[in-house]
Amino acid sequence: MTGILLPPLFKKSYPMYLNYGVIGMFIAHEITHGFDDQGREMNKYGDVENWWSTETLEAFNRKKECLINQYGNYTIQALAKTYHAYRNWVTKQGREEPRLPGLNFTNNQLYFISQAQTWCQTNTDAQTILLMNYDVHSLSIFRANGPAQNFPEFSKEFNCPVGSYMNPVDKCSVW
């Protein structure tokens, strides 16, 4: 896992909008495992223990239906937290970082591009079918698009029309 803190994904000298985007995606992904249908069955020591109340489990099951209907277990909250952490960092600096030359994207847009870039991959049709049948994770395209679809700041930054694929009217959030 420490490999994610190395180039080409992460480097101290990279613009912070890229670093925050990458690390936010990984933090969101890993934290969510602690509260999914399997991770929630382990206590803080890794022992099997049902530590959720009946009310918490029922509320979780109601909320996760939205995500099930949309396909996949998207991780929204940590993406939002790292986006806001990045914006707080900019505020503390008192200025925006220089934009990357040659690209027509804002720093906020590059945060989201950095987050999605970690899921870039190409698969053959056979590999895709294999992943769909045997991998517990959603396909990469959904892991990149899902959190962004549900995050209003993404829609605002990219001017996605309400009701479009990347700005659905009904957004999902478990937490």
Side-chain angles (χ1 to χ4, degrees):
M1 174 102 151
T2 57
I4 64 169
L5 297 178
L6 298 172
L9 295 176
F10 186 92
K11 189 173 181 181
K12 185 177 180 179
S13 63
Y14 287 173
M16 287 296 112
Y17 44 82
L18 298 180
N19 285 335
Y20 274 81
V22 167
I23 200 67
M25 185 284 309
F26 280 108
I27 291 170
H29 174 84
E30 295 305 328
I31 287 176
T32 299
H33 278 305
F35 298 96
D36 62 18
D37 284 347
Q38 295 173 357
R40 69 171 181 81
E41 295 176 350
M42 304 286 186
N43 67 17
K44 64 183 178 182
Y45 304 108
D47 298 325
V48 175
E49 177 186 337
N50 182 10
W51 55 278
W52 283 11
S53 70
T54 302
E55 295 80 22
T56 299
L57 181 58
E58 289 172 359
F60 175 81
N61 286 333
R62 280 192 308 275
K63 289 184 173 190
K64 80 176 182 181
E65 285 302 313
C66 181
L67 294 175
I68 290 169
N69 292 335
Q70 196 179 65
Y71 181 77
N73 184 14
Y74 302 142
T75 52
I76 309 304
Q77 195 63 24
L79 175 67
K81 289 196 181 304
T82 57
Y83 175 80
H84 294 298
Y86 166 65
R87 293 308 313 158
N88 287 339
W89 180 86
V90 170
T91 299
K92 287 179 183 176
Q93 301 306 306
R95 61 178 170 72
E96 293 283 340
E97 293 178 276
R99 291 174 69 165
L100 288 178
L103 296 177
N104 192 24
F105 295 108
T106 68
N107 293 351
N108 290 342
Q109 289 172 327
L110 285 167
Y111 163 88
F112 291 112
I113 291 169
S114 174
Q115 181 271 330
Q117 159 189 340
T118 59
W119 298 120
C120 288
Q121 68 182 52
T122 301
N123 296 320
T124 65
D125 289 345
Q127 288 171 319
T128 299
I129 291 168
L130 189 68
L131 289 169
M132 287 175 19
N133 287 323
Y134 297 104
D135 192 346
V136 298
H137 296 94
S138 301
L139 295 175
S140 293
I141 188 169
F142 300 115
R143 294 170 79 172
N145 289 347
Q149 287 175 317
N150 290 310
F151 192 44
E153 285 85 341
F154 174 88
S155 303
K156 178 183 171 192
E157 287 298 327
F158 285 96
N159 298 312
C160 302
V162 173
S164 66
Y165 178 72
M166 291 306 293
N167 188 11
V169 174
D170 296 321
K171 295 186 182 336
C172 298
S173 177
V174 174
W175 311 113

